[in-house]
Amino acid sequence: MATTNYRLEPHTSIPYHTGVAIPVFSLRSEQSFGIGDFSDLKSFADFVAKSGMDLIQILPINDTTTFMDWRDSYPYRAISVFALHPIYLDMSVFREILTDTEKAEFDAQQKSLNTLKTVDYEAVLDAKWHYIKIGYDKLSKNIFSSMAFLDFFAQNRNWLDPYAAFCYLRDLHHTSDYSQWGEFAKFSKDKLKKLSTSGLNLHYFVQFLLHQQLKSASDYAHALGVGLKGDIAIGIAHDSADAWSDESLYHMDFQTGAPPDAFSETGQNWGFPTYNWDKMAETNFAWWQQRLTVMRTYFDAYRLDHILGFFRIWEIPNHSVRALLGQFSPALGLTVDEIENTYQIPFSSWGGDDRFTQPFIKDWVVRELAGDYNDKIFAEFLEPRGNGNYRFKASYNTQKKIAAQVSDEQLRDVLFILQENVLFLADHRIPGLYHPRIKFMDTLSFREFGDEQVKQNLIRLHNDYFYTRHNEFWQEKAYQKLPVIKNATDMLSCGEDLGMVPDNVPDVMWHLQILRLIIERMPSDNTHIVNHLDRAPYLSVVSTSSHDTSTLRQWWKEDPAFTQKYYNDVMHWWGKAPGFMTQEIATEIIQRHMNSDAMLAIFPLQDLLAMTSYCLGDESLERINQPEMPFHYWRYRNHLSNETLIADDDITSKIKGLIAITRRHIGR
């Protein structure tokens, strides 16, 4: 367990905490091997402590090896929510066992990878596995006989065995799609006995070393008075050890994502299976409780990714690429009687399913959307279905079929829009129930209605469904899960509650003492241009940015008109706003965050560096993620080493000085 005398909890003798957010992969030290590793957290904790801060927030660190290439850099698609990622292993543990020739090769490779400005995920992982295998041959015998390993193995065997088997079979078959593993396509503990002992032992060996290194870093940080805040991803990889070992816990025929929001107009499709909460409830959410218990070994607080998913999740059919054809789950579907009588919409008499749930495709619809692609779309993709209507040919009647066969991105988007041109979606599980397609007011199908009263009735139904109908229902669902999960450990719980937030989410989080996330530029009330930091509740985390947003310096340049308004009306600085973020502006913004009543003020390292002269010349290089991109390369690496951060008093003194003049210093 993490050091018991270090705890983050509300209303203690230190009521306010200040932290820095940085992914482990973004850390850089003199001992790194092309990427930040767990041991780098130690020297980074030195910087944090010297700066007067007391918390480090990181992204998920679980193994994500699915595709076996750079796409696995995405840290939220874990193949095991328990296993740590081998890429974060400190390689220095192996250097001393190498021959002189191997040491020279090791040093040259380390130097080469460390000179790169960003992470070369594939090169780093290949190199690390090369030395891991050498280390396994020379060190595993002694490690496996140690009491430390035997204790670790005994405590974690229930997830270690399926994880190690999954990795071994993935590499053997060159795919993580376990449906292609022959007799091992279906998990069985008895079948694991047929697998190579050495093949499984390699992964036990790696997980033990990762455990030791992360635990050592956590203990080191605690000795400095610095806590660690982890991140719990909302989903798991579809092809994962977790799903393979117990598919009953997940709905494998659906995908999770998010409805349209500030990050993406068409929503987000994360590709994870959705949770079978009813099945999980049978064991009082034991899978979740174990997940939290394992995390407590290293962490003092955690960020619950997409806490809205514990109220309801955006569930997308497996055949979709984009997220607009999703529906909330669980949700209270509408009956035909309710559609017709409560909302006065002539569902049955105007064509029923055929008009409301099938893509509305007529000549004028295609002409308006397709432009130069008009003739091609009619010739290759559509066929008539009577009364001047068209449908997609069977070979193109889903978005995944289109994506697999159409390389022209512009044409593909037109075809996607045509498939999304519907007003209602049939319930995923209960025949006869329907859900409005989100934002159907933007569709040409909606525009086709000439009866303005029907349009107004449809809008009323849409808004009732998405903003009022489910409030009590979703609150009840959240209270079934969140108390059990939160009470599994004594870690401080924080929730990422951005996006399309039901009205009762803040109330539930307050009652459960789960801290909310407040990013100033993303107002929860659209009548304001920003969140008012002076109104931030104590049970909250304030931050200038997140890994999903642009950094402060990028944001300042995105919309000059908004920046000017922010400069005058929020900062109350007069005159014309500079075209770039100055050190003084960054300092003012961060100071206002520190002076809020929020229990935690956590800042991305890039935003803290905006107060200094150590910024990158090109702000775009500071960005960690682009949420609208399904396959974004997560490779940002801090251009300054931990050693430089520690040594430069300009950086540490500026942060420490701000803490000293704000309420952050209370209790120190």
Side-chain angles (χ1 to χ4, degrees), residues 220-456:
Y220 182 89
H222 289 161
L224 297 174
V226 174
L228 296 184
K229 181 183 177 186
D231 197 330
I232 298 180
I234 187 59
I236 62 165
H238 185 278
D239 299 322
S240 62
D242 291 326
W244 178 56
S245 60
D246 192 353
E247 281 192 353
S248 71
L249 297 180
Y250 318 96
H251 295 300
M252 301 299 292
D253 47 350
F254 292 100
Q255 308 170 90
T256 55
D261 57 19
F263 296 118
S264 174
E265 292 182 356
T266 59
Q268 300 174 53
N269 184 349
W270 303 324
F272 316 138
T274 58
Y275 292 119
N276 185 345
W277 289 112
D278 290 339
K279 184 68 175 177
M280 289 182 163
E282 292 176 4
T283 59
N284 198 29
F285 308 102
W287 182 84
W288 281 97
Q289 292 196 61
Q290 184 187 12
R291 187 176 181 182
L292 270 293
T293 301
V294 170
M295 280 198 71
R296 184 63 180 105
T297 306
Y298 319 107
F299 296 104
D300 310 282
Y302 61 88
R303 169 190 177 273
L304 201 56
D305 176 41
H306 194 65
I307 195 172
L308 308 182
F310 296 87
F311 291 75
R312 80 294 187 269
I313 200 71
W314 192 245
E315 189 172 69
I316 306 162
N318 265 352
H319 56 68
S320 288
V321 173
R322 305 203 304 193
L324 285 173
L325 295 178
Q327 59 188 240
F328 283 124
S329 177
L332 302 170
L334 296 153
T335 64
V336 172
D337 180 71
E338 193 173 3
I339 294 170
E340 293 182 338
N341 295 319
T342 302
Y343 294 99
Q344 300 300 304
I345 297 165
F347 187 89
S348 301
S349 60
W350 283 14
D353 280 358
D354 190 59
R355 174 63 183 89
F356 287 90
T357 69
Q358 297 303 309
F360 179 72
I361 306 174
K362 287 184 176 289
D363 290 283
W364 72 267
V365 172
V366 179
R367 282 197 305 271
E368 181 161 332
L369 291 173
D372 293 340
Y373 294 109
N374 188 79
D375 293 342
K376 183 180 180 67
I377 288 175
F378 278 113
E380 296 185 21
F381 301 97
L382 302 177
E383 62 186 16
R385 63 182 183 94
N387 298 320
N389 297 301
Y390 295 85
R391 65 183 167 218
F392 279 90
K393 294 177 180 177
S395 53
Y396 297 104
N397 63 2
T398 71
Q399 291 187 347
K400 283 197 173 174
K401 288 180 182 179
I402 291 170
Q405 301 175 74
V406 179
S407 58
D408 184 326
E409 185 174 345
Q410 189 174 350
L411 172 59
R412 193 167 63 236
D413 285 346
V414 171
L415 296 172
F416 285 172
I417 292 170
L418 282 173
Q419 289 197 345
E420 294 160 350
N421 193 28
V422 300
L423 297 178
F424 286 90
L425 304 165
D427 188 276
H428 288 160
R429 296 179 178 84
I430 305 175
L433 295 183
Y434 298 89
H435 306 264
R437 203 221 80 173
I438 193 166
K439 297 180 69 175
F440 64 39
M441 297 83 75
D442 297 341
T443 68
L444 295 180
S445 179
F446 177 80
R447 199 177 83 189
E448 167 73 359
F449 287 114
D451 189 324
E452 286 300 319
Q453 186 57 55
V454 170
K455 283 186 176 180
Q456 290 305 311

